[in-house]
Amino acid sequence: MLQKAIRSRSLPAALYGVNLYALGLVAFLTLPGAPFMRAQASPTVEYRLKAAFLYNFPKFVEWPSDAFKSDKAPILICVFRDDPFGNALDEILQGKTINSREVLARRINELPDLRSCQLVFVSEREDKYLSEILNSLRGTSALVVGESDGFAERGGAIQFFLEDNKLRFAVNVDAVRKARLSISSKLLALARIVPN
């Protein structure tokens, strides 16, 4: 329902031409009291915003060393089945590194293959598989991000949501802890914290 609400709103003219790549979401997210960007009418723009967040979330997350096959293994951002990003995620991640690790996008169709991912995005269309996804990731350190109502309350780590026509996110700190992840207090300060 939130996605439908986002798509039905008019796109503020002031936001046309915003270069999301140069936006510097890291600095943006760390500014005390920084406003969240307005959600957009166009799904393309909406998902460019979400893709930018997916790229920036790992900058505020610490994974255990055994979450990677080697010191140089990339950070894998995986989209489970339905991919609403088009080429936006690949464009944002192109040539990017975080802590000397390359950041790559992967599209995953089979549940067992998700276990190699550091971040897993579950679109609204695939939300019906959330229980199976979480079960398949048990024992791993994947940051599971979604966009459906109640996603974080049902065990997802981070959920996008719309509030006052702005794109925000919620964090389930229990889910984060179970995955042996540590999230920066700077990111948590901008999130709505939800119980598991």
Side-chain angles (χ1 to χ4, degrees):
M1 291 177 73
L2 284 178
Q3 305 309 317
K4 198 172 192 178
I6 291 170
R7 292 179 186 118
S8 68
R9 297 176 193 279
S10 62
L11 181 64
L15 291 178
Y16 277 113
V18 171
N19 185 339
L20 294 175
Y21 305 106
L23 200 55
L25 281 180
V26 176
F28 177 78
L29 287 171
T30 56
L31 289 173
F36 286 86
M37 294 191 67
R38 289 180 161 280
Q40 309 293 304
S42 163
T44 300
V45 176
E46 171 195 340
Y47 282 101
R48 282 187 177 277
L49 269 177
K50 289 181 178 178
F53 274 93
L54 293 186
Y55 163 59
N56 281 282
F57 283 149
K59 296 178 180 178
F60 298 91
V61 175
E62 186 175 327
W63 277 268
S65 58
D66 62 2
F68 297 94
K69 290 182 178 177
S70 71
D71 291 342
K72 295 189 176 183
I75 295 171
L76 298 180
I77 296 179
C78 300
V79 178
F80 180 65
R81 296 182 182 164
D82 175 57
D83 180 4
F85 297 103
N87 59 2
L89 186 60
D90 300 280
E91 289 176 359
I92 285 175
L93 298 183
Q94 188 172 18
K96 296 293 194 310
T97 61
I98 297 176
N99 296 328
S100 302
R101 293 184 186 276
E102 194 174 5
V103 186
L104 302 174
R106 294 281 185 267
R107 276 72 181 180
I108 303 291
N109 289 315
E110 302 299 327
L111 288 169
D113 295 337
L114 292 174
R115 296 181 65 83
S116 63
C117 305
Q118 280 68 50
L119 189 154
V120 174
F121 177 79
V122 182
S123 72
E124 192 170 30
R125 287 183 61 181
E126 305 299 341
D127 182 72
K128 56 185 175 285
Y129 301 109
L130 180 59
S131 293
E132 289 93 334
I133 293 168
L134 294 177
N135 283 335
S136 74
L137 291 172
R138 189 167 291 155
T140 72
S141 294
L143 182 72
V144 184
V145 181
E147 58 182 356
S148 300
D149 290 343
F151 183 86
E153 285 84 352
R154 291 180 287 121
I158 296 181
Q159 174 195 328
F160 292 115
F161 67 97
L162 186 67
E163 184 177 76
D164 297 330
N165 198 28
K166 296 174 184 174
L167 184 63
R168 300 194 62 189
F169 58 91
V171 174
N172 179 333
V173 291
D174 289 331
V176 170
R177 194 176 300 119
K178 285 179 184 174
R180 299 181 296 133
L181 300 171
S182 176
I183 292 186
S184 164
S185 59
K186 292 177 180 177
L187 189 65
L188 291 177
L190 297 172
R192 185 184 76 186
I193 306 301
V194 301
N196 195 2

